[in-house]
Amino acid sequence: MSKIEAVDVTKSFTSRGTGKTGSNGNHTETQALGGVNLTISTGEFHVILGPSGCGKSTFLDIVAGLSTPTSGEIRIDGKPVIGPGTDRAVVFQQYALLPWRTALGNVEFGLENIESDKKERVRIATNFLSLVGLSGFQDHYPHELSGGMKQRVAIARALALHPDILLMDEPFAAVDAQTREILQRDLLRIAIETQKTVLFITHSIDEAVFLADRVSVMTARPGRIKQTVEVPLTRAERLDEDVKVSDAYVKTRHYLWTLLKEEVIRSQDVCGKCSVETCTFGHRVTAGGADDHGN
Ligand SMILES: Nc1ncnc2c1ncn2[C@@H]1O[C@H](COP(=O)(O)OP(=O)(O)OP(=O)(O)O)[C@@H](O)[C@H]1O
């Protein structure tokens, strides 16, 4: 069981700044999330797609329990999240591997708090490295691995903890396009095999259509769920080599782009001179980041 519910989740950050936006003295308030409501079913692969800065990572951090909402709550199987837990594991864009440990050592590291028997830890870590296609690389250090391989180690490390929920924040954004396609395919295979609930953040529409059972498009900041779209492809169909030219794929991709495009444009509606949405200097804010410094 691992159903995720977000109920009216908002998040604001207050930071010391130049005092140009929503300023209060020299403190600046940024409303990252404006009331997120979302239900993700047990075993679902759910992708959140949104323009840069709309609050995707903020939302994932709150689900992970790494950050608290300003209001609202996240519930896992009906219980409010009050911090990180062993039911959830996170994979970030930057692999966050320990450079002084081998691939095996990195996967084993996560297990040290939950498994005291070293032999058992090595057995589990070896199995998960094999699941992500890294048999034979267990003694390699991070600097001896490619970006894609490092991310495979990070995924193995997360899976070895046997979480019900895998939270992935743009995990493939730092790898090259070809490796990314292969990693996506392998992740889909692993998600099918392990039946995890996955919450996956991306900017890429193609990645979303390929991986997701459902995609939620977020609005420009403050982020809300604009629409949730079911991808009309079975998991088996997605593993077909020709899926990206199928009608279902092409139409879903196009529809998601129409939803996202408006938000990307809105997210760029900032004053080109001072880079804020509510320009207090009287510059006229126009779409696309242009400003006419008429005043
Ligand atoms: N710790 C923080 N302090 C102040 N502002 C923050 C903090 N974390 C995020 N923000 C702001 O909240 C907003 C949402 O940020 P977030 O990283 O969640 O967006 P995102 O959609 O994940 O962006 P991207 O796609 O570019 O990674 C941004 O305006 C960001 O500057």
Side-chain angles (χ1 to χ4, degrees):
M1 293 285 285
S2 44
K3 176 178 163 187
I4 305 170
E5 284 168 285
V7 185
D8 288 329
V9 172
T10 72
K11 178 76 180 182
S12 297
F13 294 102
T14 306
S15 47
R16 282 179 189 278
T18 54
K20 287 178 184 168
T21 304
S23 62
N24 172 14
N26 64 349
H27 287 88
T28 301
E29 183 161 303
T30 303
Q31 195 184 359
L33 297 175
V36 175
N37 287 288
L38 180 65
T39 301
I40 301 172
S41 313
T42 301
E44 179 178 344
F45 201 123
H46 197 99
V47 173
I48 292 189
L49 186 63
S52 192
C54 73
K56 301 181 295 297
S57 297
T58 300
F59 180 65
L60 184 130
D61 286 352
I62 294 172
V63 176
L66 300 171
S67 171
T68 52
T70 303
S71 65
E73 68 180 9
I74 299 290
R75 298 179 195 144
I76 308 276
D77 294 332
K79 290 195 198 111
V81 165
I82 50 168
T86 53
D87 57 341
R88 283 153 286 148
V90 190
V91 178
F92 296 104
Q93 179 179 336
Q94 293 308 329
Y95 330 107
L97 301 182
L98 301 172
W100 59 89
R101 284 193 167 218
T102 61
L104 186 79
N106 267 283
V107 179
E108 219 197 307
F109 178 74
L111 293 164
E112 283 167 8
N113 286 333
I114 53 176
E115 176 56 68
S116 56
D117 181 355
K118 165 89 180 159
K119 267 197 191 147
E120 183 57 11
R121 284 204 304 269
V122 170
R123 188 190 67 76
I124 297 170
T126 306
N127 280 347
F128 280 98
L129 281 175
S130 155
L131 180 71
V132 298
L134 281 184
S135 298
F137 290 91
Q138 56 188 51
D139 296 329
H140 285 58
Y141 286 88
H143 74 272
E144 298 171 315
L145 301 171
S146 68
M149 287 165 138
K150 282 187 242 198
Q151 197 54 290
R152 286 175 190 271
V153 176
I155 293 170
R157 181 179 56 188
L159 290 170
L161 301 172
H162 282 296
D164 296 326
I165 298 171
L166 204 51
L167 303 171
M168 309 188 85
D169 191 354
E170 299 196 52
F172 306 144
V175 299
D176 67 84
Q178 291 145 25
T179 306
R180 188 170 181 157
E181 294 242 348
I182 292 166
L183 286 172
Q184 287 166 355
R185 191 163 282 272
D186 283 353
L187 176 64
L188 189 57
R189 176 184 54 79
I190 289 166
I192 295 168
E193 274 176 38
T194 58
Q195 302 196 326
K196 304 283 177 211
T197 302
V198 184
L199 173 58
F200 188 106
I201 304 291
T202 187
H203 286 105
S204 160
I205 304 180
D206 274 305
E207 190 159 78
V209 183
F210 179 71
L211 289 172
D213 298 318
R214 291 193 306 153
V215 182
S216 287
V217 176
M218 274 178 91
T219 65
R221 187 165 63 80
R224 295 186 184 85
I225 301 300
K226 176 173 182 164
Q227 193 172 325
T228 297
V229 175
E230 197 152 328
V231 181
L233 288 164
T234 64
R235 289 176 167 190
E237 282 168 342
R238 270 180 249 154
L239 289 172
D240 187 297
E241 288 295 339
D242 293 333
V243 69
K244 293 191 179 180
V245 291
S246 70
D247 239 33
Y249 185 96
V250 173
K251 282 185 179 148
T252 309
R253 190 190 187 291
H254 178 71
Y255 184 60
L256 288 171
W257 173 234
T258 58
L259 292 175
L260 184 61
K261 189 167 61 178
E262 288 171 10
E263 302 309 317
V264 172
I265 292 168
R266 254 188 358 108
S267 72
Q268 292 170 352
D269 277 0
V270 295
C271 173
K273 192 164 189 180
C274 48
S275 297
V276 295
E277 284 155 74
T278 314
C279 170
T280 53
F281 294 125
H283 307 141
R284 206 182 80 194
V285 178
T286 56
D291 63 288
D292 99 0
H293 297 145
N295 290 313

